[in-house]
Amino acid sequence: EKPLHADLILQPDSKVPAPKDILAHQVPNGRKEKRRQLFWEKQAEKGVLPRAERRLQARLQRGGGVPPDRAPEKGRSDPERSFYDIWGADNPLERPLVGQDSWFLQQTKKQRVKRPARLQVKPSQVPAVEVIAAGGSYNPTFEDHQALLLRAHEVEVKKVRAEEKVERQLRIPAGTQLPTAETVLQEQCEGLLEESGDEEDEEAAAQPGDAAKPAPRREKKTEQQRRREKEARALESQQRREKAARCRRQEIFRLRWLRRQVTRWEAELLRRRQARLAKRRLKDAMPRRLGRLRYEDPYLEVQLSDELPDSLRTLKPEGSVLHDRFKSLQKRNLIEPRERAKFKRRYRLKYVEKRAFREVT
Amino acid sequence: SRRLCILKGIYPHEPKHKKKVNKGSTAPRTFYLLKDIKFLLHEPIVNKFREYKVFVRKLRKAYGKGEWSTVDRLKDNKPSYKLDHIVKERYPTFIDALRDLDDALSMCFLFSTFPRSGKCHVQTIQLCRRLAVEFLNYVIASRSLRKVFLSIKGIYYQAEVLGQPVTWITPYAFAHDHPTDVDYRVMATFTEFYTTLLGFVNFRLYQSLNLLYPPKIDGQADIELKPVEGQEYAMDSESYLEKLSALSASLARAVAPAHEEEAELDEFPVEGETAEQMDAKKKEQEALEKHKKLFEGLRFFLNREVPREPLAFIIRCFGGQVSWDKSLCIGATYDVNDPSITHQIVDRPRVEQQVVGRYYLQPQWVFDSVNAKLCLPVADYFPGVLLPPHLSPFVTEQEGDYIPPEKLKLLAMQRGENPDEESEEEEDEEDDNDKEEEEEEDESEKEEEMKLKKMEEQKTQSNKMLPVKVTAGKLRLEDKQRLEQEQQSEEKRLAIMMMKKREKYLYKKIMFGKKRKVREANKLAAKRKAHDTAVKEEKKKSKKARRA
């Protein structure tokens, strides 16, 4: 069929032929590659293969299995881990170190550093697991349960009293009159408004206190005056020395009084030392202050009389052991009291009302 | 670094002069001793931590870039570390480790009850469960359990392991929501260390008992017979652990024990001890031996509604045999209908079919018997009966403190008296009295009457001029006693008068404290009386209602 006119227009129209693209024919190192190819073909006829091919064949012959997967190293939490006698004479921890020079081991850091004795002491004397009071039994005796309820009651009473105290302090005492705007204005104007009697008193107070008399002129001291002053000074110092010596000599007669004074002071020191020791002992018994938060006792786990179960089946456990263990760790000074990290926003939240609402409000 | 501190056992230090240390400010911060931190840096685990950090960073990058092959490769080569040397460093001897076992046990038992969601590593939970089960099996094999206490928080156990009393708490098995104010990372770090410690301790304990570790169930015939059954309960990999956790099988020994006759130990008189002390020790030993064999020969069956693990553990600890319903758990040795069952533990208000020759008891019987060190009379623990209160064995009463009447009864029973008969007689008498008079005569009144009668008799006797020896002798004895008492009280009064003001003040304070205790004890007794009377009246009313 006759081709389309549009296609005919698009055919090349020039009499100049397009330049030959030499780059399309160029192969870098073309002659060398050709020669290499010919070389290897000849070698292949002889039976010699290039190194890469040889190695591949050898590998295939070897079996060519996938390398075995190394089992991932299981660490401390592996449920199937094995244990050994760590306190026995021959244990895997110390086998490599047996029989070698201790100096050598220490210098090459193969032996571990000795743990200081101060770390063997426990930070608190509180026992690790504190058994709950007898009233915490799931089927307690009447008295024990009452005792426990009493303790919980006291805690609640304390809280209520603290709240009431705050309220009491903030309460406006009955009978006072709250200041109104008029009284406030009056208070502020006290002393500002001019009255006749005040002015005269003010003037009278300003007058005294004029400039003081000029200081008297000094004349040069004469030799006599200097000599006399020197003698007076020497006499004074001698008298002082004599007095001191006399006092010290006379103090022998005050020995008893002095001894009493010394014993009193020593008794005072002893008393202070004992007070300090007692305070220190009290502090040791309490949980230490180790961080930002103070240690707070956990809530007493108590079940009210109508919550007490009839049988073990109907028992609803109160309090969680996890919480109790956590608090116990804090009480024993092993960790510092911690709270959950709060969520802090970096930028303030912006609230935008929808257009529809903006029209309404 | 906090993790490292916890693992190594380095605790924060409270400085004496906070201002000095804090460079002038009193803001409360946590302080550690510099020496301790320097000691920390010698630890080889520090390098492992750094490697782990690098690993995490690389992993995150690979994830972000979507290079999954890299992710797999990295995960295969995840760095890990072990805490063995830290255990050896912190506890150079085995006894040191035993002293810290309380905390370790509580944590392990706690973690083993966690649900296996992603909050803590599932591997940790599995390891904790395995170690807990191993330890329970050890306690059963060595019969070291001494005290049990059921509280509203959990169950407290006390066992004596190689001379050291070890107390731990196990939470109840019912699921509870996890509190949010607990730091899980810190607890997980503690648990890591404690699991390692407990593993080594377990190994040593098993060695001391001549048992195989890791524990194997004794009797291969069982294993051959039950593979089919095992598949119903758990996968093959887990079935072994489940069977072990059933606590119903005995463990295999490492070296077959030769049948030795128990030779009587020679008694070497320890210097410094009198014969009385040795006798007391002997008695204690005998009592302990008796305590260990409390449930020997008894066969128990646990109903489905009763908590299986604690009861199975306790019963087996004291020599009894226990089984449960097949649908509950693997390892049930005998069925409900086995005729040799002596006790069945139920917790329902009524039991329909009762087999003759079996006692149907509530679970508290087991716990109370263990604490009382003898098999308590079963009548108080029948299903539907109001149980006596569960007393705490960890409470030691001192003189002057209030002892509840239940505990008095228990002590009396332990001494071998029979308060049951007496109490029954009293109740009969009282019932009779009620029927006749509707007034209760207190025992004290009865005694007073008896005393008055005696006095009258004496007077009449003396009037009749009967042999004077007897009465005179009595009078003299009384005089002597009274005289002595009077003398002592007079001396006391003199001494009090002669004390200085300060000492008197102290003395008054102490006496006030003592009297307060006595007053409180009296108050409690009065309350108890009131309570008892109220209960009795209710009983009477219910009786009358029933009759009418």
Side-chain angles (χ1 to χ4, degrees):
Chain A
E1 277 266 335
K2 206 176 160 194
L4 287 174
H5 190 61
D7 292 333
L8 284 173
I9 297 175
L10 286 170
Q11 297 298 324
D13 203 13
S14 154
K15 294 218 172 105
V16 179
K20 203 165 68 164
D21 183 13
I22 321 170
L23 288 174
H25 297 278
Q26 277 182 350
V27 172
N29 262 345
R31 286 187 202 141
K32 194 170 173 188
E33 295 289 314
K34 235 194 209 171
R35 282 195 51 178
R36 189 181 289 167
Q37 206 190 358
L38 288 169
F39 168 76
W40 279 113
E41 277 170 10
K42 267 188 241 166
Q43 299 285 59
E45 282 166 25
K46 268 194 251 172
V48 178
L49 292 167
R51 178 178 288 269
E53 299 286 334
R54 260 184 285 160
R55 294 202 62 187
L56 199 61
Q57 302 268 344
R59 207 169 143 194
L60 280 171
Q61 273 172 7
R62 232 182 288 145
V66 185
D69 272 322
R70 194 167 45 131
E73 219 183 275
K74 295 205 182 167
R76 60 212 185 277
S77 304
D78 176 24
E80 305 299 322
R81 70 165 289 179
S82 59
F83 296 98
Y84 45 86
D85 186 9
I86 202 173
W87 291 281
D90 172 43
N91 65 46
L93 266 185
E94 279 158 27
R95 238 174 261 155
L97 302 179
V98 158
Q100 297 183 17
D101 188 25
S102 67
W103 172 253
F104 166 73
L105 287 173
Q106 198 191 20
Q107 288 296 300
T108 52
K109 309 237 171 128
K110 291 210 175 104
Q111 193 183 50
R112 278 176 288 285
V113 176
K114 206 174 60 145
R115 189 185 169 92
R118 115 181 84 86
L119 291 175
Q120 295 295 103
V121 171
K122 281 198 226 171
S124 166
Q125 300 302 317
V126 175
V129 177
E130 287 176 345
V131 183
I132 199 174
S137 154
Y138 89 105
N139 185 0
T141 56
F142 179 68
E143 295 83 24
D144 297 330
H145 191 234
Q146 292 294 315
L148 197 62
L149 283 178
L150 189 71
R151 273 170 59 189
H153 173 72
E154 276 168 16
V155 167
E156 294 294 317
V157 160
K158 255 195 199 171
K159 272 197 258 175
V160 166
R161 270 177 45 193
E163 278 180 26
E164 273 189 15
K165 181 178 177 185
V166 173
E167 268 189 52
R168 220 184 327 132
Q169 286 173 336
L170 294 175
R171 226 184 307 153
I172 302 164
T176 53
Q177 292 165 335
L178 286 173
T180 56
E182 293 164 352
T183 50
V184 165
L185 194 60
Q186 209 184 25
E187 249 185 73
Q188 286 178 343
C189 293
E190 299 257 4
L192 288 180
L193 300 171
E194 288 175 2
E195 291 174 24
S196 53
D198 294 342
E199 284 186 52
E200 288 172 10
D201 291 332
E202 284 176 40
E203 280 180 28
Q207 273 177 4
D210 279 345
K213 275 186 256 174
R217 262 269 179 91
R218 257 202 215 120
E219 290 164 9
K220 254 202 161 177
K221 280 193 203 173
T222 51
E223 280 286 336
Q224 277 184 350
Q225 281 183 322
R226 275 190 231 253
R227 210 184 344 119
R228 259 182 242 143
E229 280 176 9
K230 204 173 179 184
E231 280 170 17
R233 258 184 282 145
L235 190 66
E236 238 187 85
S237 69
Q238 201 206 14
Q239 277 178 347
R240 250 185 283 135
R241 255 182 285 138
E242 273 179 21
K243 186 171 184 189
R246 208 181 341 126
C247 273
R248 238 178 284 137
R249 259 177 270 138
Q250 299 290 36
E251 268 186 5
I252 300 172
F253 303 114
R254 290 172 53 206
L255 262 181
R256 252 184 255 148
W257 183 82
L258 285 172
R259 198 185 304 163
R260 242 188 300 152
Q261 207 186 22
V262 165
T263 45
R264 240 186 290 150
W265 180 240
E266 279 180 1
E268 170 73 19
L269 286 177
L270 189 70
R271 193 183 58 83
R272 283 193 202 169
R273 197 189 329 152
Q274 279 172 349
R276 246 180 287 142
L277 279 176
K279 222 177 162 186
R280 180 105 182 266
R281 251 175 269 140
L282 268 182
K283 253 188 130 182
D284 280 339
M286 295 240 302
R288 297 183 205 160
R289 183 78 196 273
L290 291 169
R292 196 166 62 95
L293 303 161
R294 280 186 208 276
Y295 171 74
E296 278 171 11
D297 277 321
Y299 285 129
L300 279 174
E301 282 103 3
V302 144
Q303 284 194 330
L304 303 173
S305 314
D306 37 337
E307 283 174 10
L308 280 177
D310 296 323
S311 71
L312 194 55
R313 187 174 39 104
T314 50
L315 169 66
K316 236 188 130 198
E318 185 101 12
S320 90
V321 177
L322 177 63
H323 188 74
D324 161 70
R325 293 276 92 223
F326 191 56
K327 285 280 180 177
S328 160
L329 289 171
Q330 286 171 11
K331 192 167 184 187
R332 279 180 280 148
N333 305 323
L334 299 180
I335 50 180
E336 80 271 15
R338 307 185 84 157
E339 66 174 0
R340 202 192 168 94
K342 279 184 267 194
F343 177 66
K344 277 192 177 163
R345 282 192 182 281
R346 204 180 267 245
Y347 302 109
R348 194 168 56 99
L349 271 183
K350 295 185 193 170
Y351 296 100
V352 181
E353 280 179 330
K354 278 197 181 163
R355 237 172 223 273
F357 292 139
R358 230 189 280 162
E359 285 168 8
V360 172
T361 52
Chain B
S1 68
R2 203 158 265 166
R3 253 178 92 193
L4 198 58
C5 286
I6 291 175
L7 287 176
K8 287 280 275 185
I10 286 171
Y11 309 118
H13 181 80
E14 196 187 1
K16 277 195 208 169
H17 306 282
K18 238 196 244 173
K19 264 194 162 176
K20 229 201 256 179
V21 176
N22 218 350
K23 296 182 202 151
S25 87
T26 44
R29 285 161 117 200
T30 318
F31 298 103
Y32 288 85
L33 283 175
L34 191 64
K35 280 191 268 186
D36 292 342
I37 304 288
K38 283 194 183 157
F39 170 67
L40 261 189
L41 290 174
H42 289 290
E43 178 64 39
I45 289 191
V46 174
N47 292 331
K48 294 282 183 175
F49 275 8
R50 290 190 189 131
E51 280 175 25
Y52 189 76
K53 237 177 144 179
V54 168
F55 161 76
V56 165
R57 196 191 319 143
K58 285 190 186 163
L59 195 67
R60 213 182 324 130
K61 273 202 189 160
Y63 250 104
K65 289 189 185 170
E67 294 166 5
W68 306 115
S69 57
T70 320
V71 165
D72 285 332
R73 181 173 49 90
L74 285 170
K75 276 197 184 166
D76 281 341
N77 299 338
K78 180 176 174 177
S80 60
Y81 57 88
K82 286 207 172 161
L83 299 170
D84 307 355
H85 58 280
I86 300 189
V87 171
K88 184 74 201 270
E89 191 189 274
R90 278 177 78 172
Y91 304 109
T93 62
F94 184 49
I95 304 291
D96 293 332
L98 281 183
R99 281 196 209 115
D100 263 358
L101 202 56
D102 290 1
D103 211 9
L105 277 174
S106 305
M107 290 291 260
C108 279
F109 275 91
L110 172 66
F111 264 69
S112 59
T113 58
F114 276 3
R116 287 169 206 203
S117 64
K119 262 200 169 169
C120 356
H121 293 281
V122 177
Q123 290 182 331
T124 317
I125 299 179
Q126 284 176 330
L127 185 63
C128 284
R129 176 121 179 92
R130 169 188 147 200
L131 292 172
V133 163
E134 284 173 7
F135 185 76
L136 287 178
N137 274 309
Y138 165 78
V139 175
I140 290 177
S142 67
R143 308 249 183 128
S144 6
L145 192 65
R146 300 280 178 261
K147 299 186 187 170
V148 185
F149 181 43
L150 288 159
S151 75
I152 45 185
K153 211 180 345 185
I155 309 183
Y156 289 88
Y157 296 99
Q158 191 180 67
E160 207 176 299
V161 174
L162 298 182
Q164 293 276 340
V166 170
T167 322
W168 74 95
I169 176 171
T170 316
Y172 285 115
F174 329 124
H176 41 267
D177 55 343
H178 286 230
T180 46
D181 55 345
V182 172
D183 193 347
Y184 279 92
R185 272 173 301 182
V186 163
M187 303 297 264
T189 317
F190 270 105
T191 312
E192 266 175 30
F193 180 72
Y194 283 144
T195 47
T196 327
L197 171 67
L198 187 59
F200 286 116
V201 166
N202 272 349
F203 183 90
R204 201 44 197 251
L205 290 174
Y206 272 65
Q207 218 184 40
S208 75
L209 269 192
N210 197 17
L211 293 168
L212 274 179
Y213 188 90
K216 291 200 175 26
I217 298 182
D218 204 10
Q220 286 166 349
D222 286 357
I223 299 178
E224 287 170 11
L225 280 176
K226 291 194 181 178
V228 178
E229 204 192 85
Q231 274 164 21
E232 291 172 1
Y233 293 101
M235 306 187 306
D236 280 335
S237 57
E238 296 187 0
S239 71
Y240 200 77
L241 183 61
E242 292 299 315
K243 276 192 205 147
L244 212 61
S245 65
L247 301 172
S248 61
S250 54
L251 301 170
R253 312 230 146 205
V255 178
H259 190 70
E260 293 169 8
E261 289 182 12
E262 284 188 20
E264 266 198 38
L265 296 166
D266 287 334
E267 294 171 13
F268 294 108
V270 180
E271 280 173 71
E273 278 193 19
T274 59
E276 290 175 4
Q277 284 175 343
M278 277 176 52
D279 280 338
K281 274 198 177 173
K282 244 202 205 169
K283 277 192 190 165
E284 270 182 45
Q285 280 271 338
E286 284 171 19
L288 195 65
E289 294 296 315
K290 231 177 92 181
H291 186 39
K292 283 189 189 175
K293 296 187 185 149
L294 194 60
F295 292 147
E296 205 135 313
L298 305 178
R299 286 166 78 95
F300 289 81
F301 188 82
L302 305 175
N303 236 9
R304 278 193 292 241
E305 68 272 1
V306 133
R308 190 195 66 83
E309 255 196 38
L311 277 172
F313 172 56
I314 294 176
I315 292 171
R316 285 227 58 225
C317 246
F318 290 96
Q321 291 179 337
V322 65
S323 175
W324 48 83
D325 204 63
K326 261 192 235 169
S327 60
L328 259 187
C329 182
I330 202 173
T333 35
Y334 43 84
D335 203 22
V336 164
N337 306 315
D338 193 326
S340 58
I341 295 180
T342 50
H343 297 73
Q344 183 161 344
I345 313 287
V346 286
D347 206 358
R348 299 181 186 167
R350 275 174 303 113
V351 185
E352 279 78 27
Q353 302 159 334
Q354 298 215 0
V355 176
V356 181
R358 257 188 232 181
Y359 288 120
Y360 287 81
L361 300 170
Q362 300 198 29
Q364 204 183 306
W365 181 79
V366 178
F367 302 114
D368 282 345
S369 304
V370 166
N371 287 332
K373 300 188 190 168
L374 43 84
C375 288
L376 293 173
V378 293
D380 298 328
Y381 297 92
F382 282 146
V385 173
L386 187 64
L387 291 170
H390 179 60
L391 301 164
S392 163
F394 293 99
V395 168
T396 42
E397 267 107 10
Q398 286 132 9
E399 294 172 17
D401 281 354
Y402 179 72
I403 307 181
E406 288 89 2
K407 187 126 193 197
L408 287 169
K409 260 197 243 171
L410 210 70
L411 291 168
M413 262 199 270
Q414 282 180 342
R415 265 177 270 139
E417 297 166 12
N418 275 339
D420 283 342
E421 295 176 359
E422 291 177 18
S423 61
E424 280 179 20
E425 287 175 8
E426 282 178 20
E427 281 187 25
D428 288 335
E429 285 179 13
E430 285 176 6
D431 284 341
D432 290 334
N433 286 343
D434 284 344
K435 283 180 196 165
E436 291 172 0
E437 300 173 0
E438 281 196 19
E439 268 183 19
E440 289 170 282
E441 268 183 90
D442 285 344
E443 283 185 8
S444 55
E445 289 182 14
K446 273 191 197 165
E447 282 177 10
E448 282 181 11
E449 286 187 18
M450 295 293 285
K451 270 191 205 166
L452 280 170
K453 280 187 197 165
K454 266 192 198 165
M455 295 257 296
E456 287 177 12
E457 281 178 22
Q458 279 178 15
K459 278 187 189 169
T460 49
Q461 277 175 7
S462 62
N463 282 343
K464 284 183 189 172
M465 303 293 279
L466 278 174
V468 189
K469 288 180 204 170
V470 176
T471 48
K474 275 188 198 165
L475 279 170
R476 265 185 217 156
L477 277 172
E478 285 180 7
D479 274 355
K480 266 191 194 167
Q481 278 183 3
R482 257 194 234 153
L483 270 177
E484 280 182 34
Q485 278 181 11
E486 276 177 33
Q487 257 193 343
Q488 278 180 4
S489 58
E490 269 203 46
E491 280 171 27
K492 214 178 173 189
R493 255 178 276 144
L494 264 176
I496 293 174
M497 277 201 301
M498 287 211 302
M499 280 200 290
K500 289 197 187 163
K501 213 182 181 183
R502 254 183 258 153
E503 292 168 27
K504 212 196 259 181
Y505 181 52
L506 273 172
Y507 175 74
K508 280 212 173 137
K509 264 193 158 174
I510 295 170
M511 288 310 287
F512 177 69
K514 274 200 194 159
K515 283 187 191 159
R516 189 170 25 157
K517 259 196 188 173
V518 170
R519 254 187 282 142
E520 280 186 16
N522 287 339
K523 241 201 251 176
L524 283 170
K527 265 194 184 173
R528 176 84 208 193
K529 250 197 196 173
H531 179 73
D532 281 340
T533 45
V535 163
K536 275 212 170 138
E537 283 180 15
E538 280 185 38
K539 261 199 216 167
K540 269 193 250 167
K541 282 185 193 164
S542 61
K543 263 194 200 168
K544 281 190 181 166
R546 257 187 261 154
R547 275 182 218 161

